[in-house]
Amino acid sequence: MKLNANAETVLKQRYLIKDENGNPVETVDGMFHRVAKAIASADALHDEHADTDKTESIFYDMMTNLEFLPNSPTLMNAGRDLGQLSACFVLPVEDSMESIFEAIKQAALIHKSGGGTGFSFSRLRQEGSTVNSTGGVASGPISFMKVFNMATEAIKQGGSRRGANMGILRIDHPDILKFIDCKADNTEITNFNLSVGLTEEFMKAAEAGKDYDLVDPHTGETVKQLNARTVFNKIVDAAWRNGEPGIIFLDRLNRDNIVPEQGKIEATNPCGEQPLLPHESCNLGSINLTQMVKAEKGRKTFDWEKLERTVKQAVHFLDNVIEVNKYPLDQIEHTTKQTRKIGLGVMGWADSLLMMGIPYNTEEAVQLAEEVMSFITEKGRQASQQLAEVRGTFPLFEQSILPQDRPQRNGTITTIAPTGTLSIIGGCSSGVEPVFAYVFIRNIMDGTEMLEVNPILKEELEKRGLYSEGLMRRIAQEGAVSHIKELPEDIRRVFVSTHDISPEYHVRMQAAFQRHTDNAVSKTVNFSNEATREDVAKVYSLAFTLGCKGVTIYRDGSRDEQVLNIGKVK
Ligand code: UDP
């Protein structure tokens, strides 16, 4: 197997089955066999003569070759008693105590199994409005979010990974201003990502500088008006300060809602890439694009045949996951199986560009993004159509907005996940993000330092006889290959990192992938510390114009604790 040392460590710490003393009772190879066998077993549900051994070996090969990996809960839980395989859930929060605390309970069960939960809090009546049963006053969405947050905090230790949440509030909720600023203090609501749900009507009002209505969710009455541009600028200001909240475009999510009769989409999973209905879940999986690159006539290009084969097998895999998944609630099983959404995406995009010698921040890269993603979605659809011939369409196919002449097994096919852990296992850059830094200096326990160098940079430098530890230390210190003047010009141009890339190119890349993705794209638009509020506002407008479903921004150094730092220890 091709796993690197970091991958081995992550898998041993968090993915392998352990005994009561915390020692692994399976090997990494054993884990991949367990997963392949459990997922392949679903074939027998549709065909009693199915050769599940053959499917198992296809799935096993695809994972151990690091060509495709399913989301973490599938690796952790497939073939085990828990058997909860999905990364993404959305739970309903209605305007009642029963519903609020039911959602907290359900979220706790989901977090325990490694899944993340998203909620819209827009239905909760605003702070200070009356509570009929007691004659008291309502505490409002923000104070209930704090209860959700504490519940998540308390169950952190028991689960396989930290519980993650997404909290969404519509722009026309009367408590919107409090929501926008509720994470100004970074120690609050730490287990949540927040997004403001924007409407097209609001965006137009903001552009025109007009007022818009705040609506009491309980009575449906307009309670107040605010100036849309002022509120838009407040969101920009908060995000500029510390990256929160993000924004999502609700009308756009609902334009791609494949069965509008099933209800409105009001929320997404924690990292924003998967819009879902209340009580819906989705399982994700990612193709490692670095494994899809081949050398041809001295040039590196995508191996389209291999990519097509991998997409088809991945769709088969993910449809099987829906079958063998053990859902935390009957209602979630029911809603999920109504449309059988899957979320196939990619990782290692930036690394693939490096292998091909194409700088991330170029027209050529944006074009190639469109080409790769439209290919994946098209081949994925075909695979789902082939599955439908044998297994039938998803139950609501006829009510769906999908073309009726091509029956599909799965309501959606593609989603681009962050692949935070999967990319470590796959040994590649995460999702469609650029490379953050090419060299990290890692402190090891005994006080020694270890250099961690991007393998593609290392190979290129070694090939040209330029590699040295001293140079690597300088790159770590400078934070960018592009700053090292004595390196050849082409290396400095191709090996760009996050902060070499303008925010506009970040958005354009996100938009290129979004155009060919059924669900959404996880992407952070990174700004330098010096970026202004106007820069942030411009990116929001650009994301809206280019058809993104949402945006998350981050200005370097704007949080005390940031996950990745240039020139510092990882
Ligand atoms: N997720 C979560 N907790 C985490 C990381 C991820 O619940 O600590 C969920 C969340 O819904 C997120 C999704 O998993 O949007 C996909 O995240 P990612 O691709 O980073 O997960 P991986 O499969 O790489 O672990």
Side-chain angles (χ1 to χ4, degrees), residues 14-15 70-73 87-89 111 114-117 161-164 269-273 284 417-423:
R14 299 194 3 226
Y15 289 66
N71 57 207
S72 291
C88 316
F89 295 80
H111 293 168
T117 44
R161 60 174 168 176
R162 205 171 151 258
N269 71 332
C271 303
E273 71 276 15
L284 312 177
T419 71
T421 331
L422 291 192
S423 62

Side-chain angles (χ1 to χ4, degrees), residues 140-440:
I142 320 293
S143 60
F144 282 116
M145 273 167 51
K146 291 182 183 167
V147 183
F148 278 76
N149 188 64
M150 272 197 285
T152 306
E153 189 69 29
I155 60 156
K156 249 184 200 173
Q157 304 304 326
S160 41
R161 60 174 168 176
R162 205 171 151 258
N165 298 297
M166 170 64 87
I168 286 169
L169 200 70
R170 281 177 64 95
I171 190 74
D172 53 10
H173 190 284
D175 289 352
I176 193 64
L177 294 179
K178 286 178 209 129
F179 180 82
I180 291 169
D181 279 334
C182 77
K183 283 188 80 170
D185 173 354
N186 263 342
T187 59
E188 288 269 18
I189 324 188
T190 48
N191 299 306
F192 269 87
N193 292 324
L194 300 183
S195 278
V196 178
L198 300 180
T199 58
E200 243 141 61
E201 194 187 334
F202 171 82
M203 288 302 281
K204 278 195 204 123
E207 223 162 87
K210 290 195 177 135
D211 287 356
Y212 78 106
D213 295 344
L214 296 187
V215 181
D216 181 334
H218 199 48
T219 62
E221 284 164 18
T222 299
V223 292
K224 203 178 165 176
Q225 287 203 319
L226 290 175
N227 179 274
R229 190 174 293 160
T230 309
V231 177
F232 182 82
N233 287 339
K234 279 189 191 294
I235 301 172
V236 168
D237 186 61
W240 179 87
R241 280 178 200 282
N242 69 1
E244 296 252 28
I247 53 175
I248 56 166
F249 300 120
L250 291 172
D251 299 308
R252 219 159 258 174
L253 301 189
N254 282 291
R255 215 167 288 147
D256 285 350
N257 181 358
I258 52 159
V259 186
E261 287 165 41
Q262 233 187 332
K264 276 227 153 74
I265 294 179
E266 298 172 20
T268 71
N269 71 332
C271 303
E273 71 276 15
Q274 189 61 50
L276 292 170
L277 293 164
H279 277 132
E280 197 172 22
S281 70
C282 186
N283 56 296
L284 312 177
S286 299
I287 291 177
N288 180 352
L289 289 175
T290 64
Q291 300 294 338
M292 304 293 137
V293 176
K294 66 169 180 188
E296 199 177 60
K297 296 180 195 136
R299 268 191 71 230
K300 287 195 171 151
T301 59
F302 278 123
D303 181 342
W304 298 102
E305 273 167 41
K306 184 175 181 186
L307 183 56
E308 175 169 352
R309 205 166 51 239
T310 310
V311 168
K312 295 205 163 162
Q313 290 162 357
V315 169
H316 179 186
F317 187 109
L318 294 173
D319 188 61
N320 281 16
V321 171
I322 299 176
E323 303 288 43
V324 299
N325 201 353
K326 291 185 191 160
Y327 296 85
L329 274 177
D330 291 346
Q331 223 171 343
I332 293 179
E333 174 161 13
H334 175 77
T335 313
T336 303
K337 287 188 170 169
Q338 289 284 293
T339 50
R340 305 186 65 89
K341 291 174 187 169
I342 57 171
L344 177 63
V346 297
M347 56 183 165
W349 165 242
D351 278 351
S352 311
L353 290 175
L354 298 179
M355 291 162 86
M356 296 185 226
I358 304 170
Y360 187 100
N361 48 352
T362 56
E363 217 44 61
E364 194 184 354
V366 172
Q367 282 294 324
L368 190 58
E370 299 233 14
E371 208 180 325
V372 165
M373 206 54 216
S374 65
F375 184 85
I376 292 173
T377 297
E378 185 197 324
K379 298 301 171 193
R381 290 231 165 92
Q382 287 171 7
S384 185
Q385 285 154 14
Q386 282 162 5
L387 285 175
E389 283 169 21
V390 181
R391 302 180 173 188
T393 61
F394 59 91
L396 298 186
F397 174 71
E398 283 174 18
Q399 280 159 259
S400 79
I401 58 170
L402 297 179
Q404 294 293 305
D405 55 336
R406 276 165 287 147
Q408 255 178 235
R409 174 76 173 155
N410 310 92
T412 66
I413 311 290
T414 42
T415 300
I416 299 186
T419 71
T421 331
L422 291 192
S423 62
I424 299 176
I425 301 171
C428 61
S429 58
S430 52
V432 296
E433 294 290 359
V435 173
F436 189 82
Y438 286 89
V439 184
F440 287 103

Side-chain angles (χ1 to χ4, degrees), residues 68-121:
F68 164 84
L69 290 169
N71 57 207
S72 291
T74 302
L75 292 174
M76 291 168 171
N77 304 331
R80 303 184 62 182
D81 287 347
L82 182 59
Q84 195 298 99
L85 309 180
S86 298
C88 316
F89 295 80
V90 163
L91 294 170
V93 186
E94 298 293 341
D95 190 29
S96 74
M97 280 297 173
E98 285 77 10
S99 172
I100 291 169
F101 285 90
E102 186 58 34
I104 292 175
K105 178 181 120 192
Q106 292 173 6
L109 296 175
I110 291 168
H111 293 168
K112 233 176 76 176
S113 67
T117 44
F119 313 87
S120 163
F121 292 100

